[in-house]
Amino acid sequence: THRVGRDRETWPRHFGVSTSLQSNILWRLVAGAALSASERSVDVSGEAAQTAVEPVELSFRDSPGSERTEIQVVRVGLESGSDAASLWFVGLPGEPLTAYSTELGRQWSRRLGVPSDRVLVCGYTNDCVGYHCTPKALREGGYEAAAAHRVYHRPSPFSSHTQKRVFAAASRA
């Protein structure tokens, strides 16, 4: 289950809960996606890997306070190669909406000349503070913007500035 937070004791009812039917469906989906991805894979020269970690503070929308966490960026490519020939992993500390991935890819493409399909945004990396909503999703409501913060034991969703702060931290990294 993805519903594992920082403290195992916070989530006791989710550990060990699964059915063989759920497991069979999930492993088939994962195996199919892995095969599909491997068939479309391309070689990336992995001569060098550079990593960066950038702190970020995410304020809550309807409550005082904030959550301190971090963004990680890994660049894999030739040591003296161009940014456009590299592969970029952007690690976000929670569950980002899809728009985070597509928009970060577009921004890095404009800024660094990186093809957007070489920017891979990964959620749940080294922390899981909750959903990262877009300002539009916060206005529209729905589970991620209105209720999920309770599952993550947060006083409210993160503010409408979250996407901007996450993107800025990723760019600094």
Side-chain angles (χ1 to χ4, degrees):
T1 179
H2 72 282
R3 294 173 60 164
V4 178
R6 293 177 176 173
D7 177 14
R8 182 182 173 103
E9 298 307 312
T10 306
W11 309 93
R13 69 179 183 270
H14 297 292
F15 285 95
V17 176
S18 65
T19 67
S20 60
L21 176 62
Q22 290 169 327
S23 296
N24 284 331
I25 291 169
L26 287 174
W27 79 257
R28 288 175 192 273
L29 291 171
V30 170
L35 286 170
S36 175
S38 71
E39 290 166 353
R40 296 186 328 260
S41 67
V42 295
D43 288 335
V44 174
S45 226
E47 183 177 290
Q50 297 170 312
T51 62
V53 176
E54 183 67 28
V56 64
E57 189 155 342
L58 307 176
S59 57
F60 296 112
R61 182 180 67 184
D62 304 320
S63 300
S66 60
E67 185 77 34
R68 288 193 53 79
T69 186
E70 61 189 30
I71 309 294
Q72 297 110 22
V73 176
V74 178
R75 176 189 171 273
V76 178
L78 295 173
E79 194 162 339
S80 59
S82 74
D83 287 339
S86 296
L87 186 60
W88 299 80
F89 295 91
V90 181
L92 302 184
E95 190 163 355
L97 296 185
T98 302
Y100 277 65
S101 181
T102 55
E103 184 57 29
L104 268 173
R106 279 193 285 271
Q107 284 185 9
W108 287 32
S109 183
R110 286 189 304 267
R111 183 171 162 244
L112 301 171
V114 175
S116 60
D117 64 351
R118 288 183 168 259
V119 179
L120 304 172
V121 176
C122 308
Y124 307 107
T125 56
N126 292 342
D127 205 352
C128 189
V129 297
Y131 274 96
H132 300 319
C133 292
T134 62
K136 180 182 177 188
L138 287 169
R139 286 190 304 275
E140 291 173 350
Y143 171 75
E144 296 87 353
H149 64 278
R150 290 189 288 275
V151 173
Y152 286 101
H153 302 286
R154 301 300 185 270
S156 81
F158 292 114
S159 77
S160 60
H161 303 290
T162 298
Q163 186 176 13
K164 184 169 55 172
R165 289 180 181 170
V166 166
F167 286 10
S171 292
R172 285 191 306 271

